[in-house]
Amino acid sequence: SVSPDIFTLGLTTATTPFGNTVPVYDRERTLCDVIRQRGTMDVQIYQTAIREYMLHGDKNLEHLIQCSRALKVEDVFSMIKTSRQLKD
């Protein structure tokens, strides 16, 4: 069972192409979930997820920190730092 605090962390809504409102997780929560599951997915998908997050202009790094701590994937910061160094 997942605690309600973790379940609702990063929960927001989006509108489908048909105009329906559906619950979704935000970018930061999704990135942390990808990092949590990195051992079960293709390396290319994992790398693409991190790269796309870093290239996207609408980042909320405070929320990313909050999510990474709650989901126990704080090593995300070393990955972000590495990604930034590779980008520069």
Side-chain angles (χ1 to χ4, degrees):
S1 152
V2 177
S3 78
D5 291 340
I6 297 297
F7 181 76
T8 59
L9 181 67
L11 194 59
T12 187
T13 58
T15 304
T16 69
F18 298 106
N20 298 312
T21 301
V22 295
V24 296
Y25 287 113
D26 60 27
R27 284 182 195 90
E28 289 74 20
R29 164 64 188 259
T30 301
L31 182 61
C32 288
D33 284 339
V34 166
I35 292 167
R36 285 177 68 196
Q37 299 298 317
R38 66 183 171 263
T40 64
M41 69 178 62
D42 183 75
V43 173
Q44 185 67 36
I45 294 170
Y46 174 74
Q47 290 174 341
T48 299
I50 291 181
R51 182 175 44 252
E52 290 298 318
Y53 181 80
M54 293 308 301
L55 294 174
H56 197 277
D58 188 25
K59 291 185 274 299
N60 184 339
L61 296 179
E62 271 188 52
H63 184 56
L64 180 61
I65 292 167
Q66 178 188 11
C67 289
S68 69
R69 287 181 180 155
L71 297 172
K72 297 178 180 21
V73 290
E74 291 180 83
D75 57 339
V76 67
F77 301 112
S78 64
M79 289 176 217
I80 288 172
K81 184 178 178 184
T82 302
S83 295
R84 282 187 179 164
Q85 289 171 347
L86 292 175
K87 185 180 168 189
D88 294 340

